[in-house]
Amino acid sequence: MFINNGMKRNIIKLILAFLIIIPLSVKGYTVKNRHVADSLMMSQNYKDASIKVQGLLSDDPKNAELNFMLGICYFHTNNDINKAISQFEKSSKLTRRHKLLIEIRDYLAKSYHINKEFDKAIIMYQKEMMLINPSNRRRLEEISTKMEHTNYAKSVCARPVKASFKLLNNNINSEYGDYSPYVTADEHYLFFTSRRKNTCDLKAMDGYYYERIYVSEKVGNDWGEAKELFQTIERGHWAVTSLSFDGKTMLLYKDDYKGNGDIYISYFRDNNWTEPLKMDDCINSNYTERQATISSDGKRIYFSSNRPDGKGGFDIYYSNIGEDGDWGEAINAGDAINTEYDEKSPFIHPNNKVLYFSSNNEYSIGGFDIFKSELQNGAWGNSFNVGFPINSTRDDLFYSVTMDGRRAYISARRPEGQGLNDIYMVTRNDKEANEQFVVSGVIKSSNLANSKISIRARREGVREVKVNPEDGRFMFVIDSGKEYNIDFEAEGKEIMYTKMMFPYKYYNDVNHGVMTLNPIRLNDKAVKYYSTDLSIDSSYMGFEDSSSIPVVGGDKAVLYIINAINKVIEPEDEPVSKVVDKPVVTEDPNVVNDVIIESNTDDVMYVIQLLAVRKQKLVSYFGKYADYVECVQGEDGIYRYLYKQYSTVKLAEKSMRLMRRRGYKDAFVREISNGIPGRILTNEEIPFNDIKKP
């Protein structure tokens, strides 16, 4: 198995102790400088140690021990493993010392493995075994296990899953270590841990700045400047380990300077994060609790701990919150998750049915790998490796999956990276997105006290979503293709009763299943709503044009207000009254049918009007074009049926001619601004004829 963090210091101590007793051909460097280099390596400060060792090597370039030490430094600090390989190969040629050669070959075999030169790794392990005393059965068994591990990695890497990696921008990644990424469900905020220079401005024993937590807000389609959080907390390592579904609760890890650590919790209140509080004894113990994750309903926490009642080193446990608001006794997650090895960095998907975690068990392809288990009949099923290249031949931890299930944020060491660890977004190109949508938005109201959202669907109970009383933000999940009644409420305001149903086709590689609503403004009591009071924010949503945005009515897309002035109702049996919209010649070009339209040229689009009536019809009347037809009621009480929206008159006129050929002979072009029909742009007078359904 590969070296993990818990073993590093002891192994380095053994190697250095071995090297120190070897007679050195002292050649121009002082004993003091050598002691400094040894001390830096003992504290795992490989970055500074490499500088010292290079200085020593400048006086004695053929010293096998120093070349080996430099290789160890490169092994731990350089993303390009070839630099370490070069040093190990060089040192192996410079010595015939039996014990030193054993350690060199062991590191060289591991480096070949990381470089995916598996056959070379096997040969080097075999050469290492030839140097081991046959009575040292334990060491021989360890090498044999490593060889099996390498053969397994070779077979897994030969069957890669279809996945692509995107290195996040320089606002997120730095020349230092950046890791443990977590996003809100709508992917508007990214939280992560970094070893970059921070307000603490102090370095730990390993030569890097203490861990600190950062947040970045999405600007357009990319991440903005990262801002440091918790700038006033005490020195030491502070890392983010999880974020709640709505991004209002954070779990943190703090090192206690004794090799142990505990889980802390913080809440977003009054536009700031509260001082982190240490969680109670049901979560924390006298041992080490590191990474933790919280379920989307906030009722369960999973965490990693090395307490002695586990199955191996670190195990994953969980705790449920009681009716009194206190966390219950920790329960081991069981044999499907935990092994005799280490299990760390759990992540529970927002659907609460899939658990991801890292393990260095016998089915990893290198150090820690990402594993996955699914909830089956109330119990976790057998876990399995998510595959190469998501898992690499190095350590892979901190895997947080997005709501759509196709993408994840991960910390990894890859050759193209900038620092020790970098944050990537992984896309599973062989996986369909989950058939769910995240609906997010903000309620604008003078009083957000006791505001809430009630969600109902057939064969489901009522669930309530709390609205943030400070900024009015909300977020909830609905299944695709399923109709929901969703009520928006705030104290002293008229309830907005709505229907929502988004078909799976609205998912794309830009919105990733996140439907962001335009701000919802709740009216005073008895003040009615207009249909335009509920709409999708089309910015960065990936729709080809405005006509493909979910609109009122339709057979396949539903997004409308039930208690709006122009709500959808069943048509009456009597014939539909006919109304003609004709261009009106006046001195004011914004006057249409004696109604003043206040145009905003910045927001003007162009639509095709197909029909105008006094008694409303269902948009399904328009057959296969119903998905693209919107019903708008004017102040004159007339219902106008508008087809698509275009950015230019030329495009609209082209579409108008096409619709006339399809049987809508009365179609004409008009402006629309902020959902309100404006000027008629067709020059000829339009006679009204019966529409022929295509």
Side-chain angles (χ1 to χ4, degrees), residues 166 169 218-224 509-512 539-542:
K166 177 185 177 182
N169 66 28
K218 185 165 282 188
V219 180
N221 279 329
D222 214 345
W223 296 106
D509 288 336
V510 177
N511 64 53
H512 297 296
S539 304
Y540 311 107
M541 294 295 286

Side-chain angles (χ1 to χ4, degrees), residues 242-413:
S242 182
L243 201 65
S244 63
F245 174 79
D246 61 0
K248 304 300 182 185
T249 303
M250 185 191 303
L251 299 180
L252 307 86
Y253 166 78
K254 180 183 182 297
D255 193 338
D256 66 358
Y257 304 107
K258 299 176 183 178
N260 295 327
D262 291 305
I263 303 299
Y264 286 67
I265 193 167
S266 176
Y267 304 95
F268 191 72
R269 294 171 179 165
D270 298 325
N271 291 317
N272 281 296
W273 289 96
T274 61
E275 190 79 12
L277 296 174
K278 184 177 178 180
M279 300 198 73
D280 60 31
D281 293 342
C282 289
I283 305 294
N284 292 310
S285 68
N286 293 327
Y287 299 89
T288 299
E289 285 70 39
R290 287 194 173 167
Q291 302 89 6
T293 180
I294 188 168
S295 60
S296 60
D297 58 8
K299 295 181 179 180
R300 177 175 287 189
I301 284 179
Y302 296 84
F303 61 95
S304 178
S305 174
N306 66 346
R307 57 191 65 186
D309 60 350
K311 301 180 183 300
F314 278 85
D315 275 14
I316 292 174
Y317 295 78
Y318 66 87
S319 174
N320 297 319
I321 198 168
E323 294 181 359
D324 57 0
D326 293 333
W327 293 100
E329 291 296 324
I331 301 170
N332 192 287
D335 293 341
I337 305 295
N338 295 311
T339 67
E340 61 184 292
Y341 301 95
D342 293 321
E343 280 70 44
K344 296 182 178 181
S345 66
F347 174 82
I348 184 70
H349 188 270
N351 64 14
N352 297 325
K353 297 178 182 178
V354 183
L355 181 68
Y356 296 88
F357 60 95
S358 294
S359 176
N360 60 355
N361 66 37
E362 57 189 323
Y363 297 107
S364 75
I365 66 173
F368 282 93
D369 274 12
I370 309 299
F371 287 79
K372 174 183 177 180
S373 177
E374 297 185 12
L375 199 63
Q376 301 171 356
N377 300 320
W380 291 110
N382 290 331
S383 55
F384 59 90
N385 191 307
V386 300
F388 171 83
I390 296 174
N391 284 315
S392 71
T393 48
R394 290 186 183 267
D395 286 335
D396 298 289
L397 301 107
F398 311 115
Y399 189 71
S400 59
V401 183
T402 56
M403 189 67 206
D404 64 4
R406 286 193 67 227
R407 296 163 303 115
Y409 292 83
I410 189 173
S411 171
R413 288 181 65 183

Side-chain angles (χ1 to χ4, degrees), residues 324-608:
D324 57 0
D326 293 333
W327 293 100
E329 291 296 324
I331 301 170
N332 192 287
D335 293 341
I337 305 295
N338 295 311
T339 67
E340 61 184 292
Y341 301 95
D342 293 321
E343 280 70 44
K344 296 182 178 181
S345 66
F347 174 82
I348 184 70
H349 188 270
N351 64 14
N352 297 325
K353 297 178 182 178
V354 183
L355 181 68
Y356 296 88
F357 60 95
S358 294
S359 176
N360 60 355
N361 66 37
E362 57 189 323
Y363 297 107
S364 75
I365 66 173
F368 282 93
D369 274 12
I370 309 299
F371 287 79
K372 174 183 177 180
S373 177
E374 297 185 12
L375 199 63
Q376 301 171 356
N377 300 320
W380 291 110
N382 290 331
S383 55
F384 59 90
N385 191 307
V386 300
F388 171 83
I390 296 174
N391 284 315
S392 71
T393 48
R394 290 186 183 267
D395 286 335
D396 298 289
L397 301 107
F398 311 115
Y399 189 71
S400 59
V401 183
T402 56
M403 189 67 206
D404 64 4
R406 286 193 67 227
R407 296 163 303 115
Y409 292 83
I410 189 173
S411 171
R413 288 181 65 183
R414 295 168 65 90
E416 71 275 13
Q418 299 183 50
L420 271 181
N421 292 84
D422 291 289
I423 297 174
Y424 293 81
M425 186 177 72
V426 184
T427 300
R428 288 292 300 269
N429 301 316
D430 58 349
K431 181 176 175 58
E432 293 292 329
N434 295 332
E435 295 186 3
Q436 291 180 310
F437 284 95
V438 175
V439 181
S440 68
V442 59
I443 292 179
K444 299 290 187 180
S445 174
S446 57
N447 185 5
L448 290 169
N450 302 318
S451 54
K452 65 179 182 179
I453 300 170
S454 300
I455 304 172
R456 303 181 305 281
R458 186 175 297 179
R459 298 189 182 90
E460 289 185 12
V462 178
R463 56 185 166 113
E464 291 187 352
V465 174
K466 295 294 184 182
V467 177
N468 189 303
E470 297 167 4
D471 58 16
R473 293 192 175 277
F474 62 84
M475 202 182 311
F476 56 86
V477 176
I478 60 176
D479 294 335
S480 65
K482 190 172 186 177
E483 187 174 276
Y484 290 82
N485 285 81
I486 300 176
D487 306 337
F488 296 88
E489 304 179 42
E491 195 169 286
K493 300 296 180 179
E494 183 76 9
I495 298 175
M496 180 185 283
Y497 298 101
T498 74
K499 281 187 181 290
M500 290 189 191
M501 188 271 281
F502 299 123
Y504 185 74
K505 69 177 183 179
Y506 283 113
Y507 174 93
N508 59 50
D509 288 336
V510 177
N511 64 53
H512 297 296
V514 178
M515 295 288 111
T516 303
L517 304 179
N518 281 312
I520 294 174
R521 291 171 171 80
L522 295 183
N523 296 334
D524 293 331
K525 287 285 188 180
V527 177
K528 297 295 182 180
Y529 296 100
Y530 290 93
S531 65
T532 52
D533 290 336
L534 180 69
S535 60
I536 292 287
D537 179 1
S538 60
S539 304
Y540 311 107
M541 294 295 286
F543 297 118
E544 291 182 1
D545 54 55
S546 58
S547 64
S548 61
I549 300 172
V551 294
V552 174
D555 294 331
K556 297 181 180 179
V558 174
L559 179 66
Y560 63 82
I561 304 173
I562 297 174
N563 58 328
I565 291 176
N566 56 339
K567 65 182 180 180
V568 174
I569 57 175
E570 292 296 327
E572 300 180 25
D573 293 333
E574 63 266 29
V576 178
S577 300
K578 302 174 183 177
V579 178
V580 181
D581 266 342
K582 299 180 181 179
V584 178
V585 179
T586 66
E587 293 183 358
D588 187 345
N590 291 326
V591 175
V592 178
N593 287 351
D594 298 324
V595 177
I596 302 296
I597 306 295
E598 295 181 0
S599 296
N600 181 344
T601 55
D602 292 335
D603 297 323
V604 169
M605 299 290 287
Y606 304 96
V607 297
I608 316 303

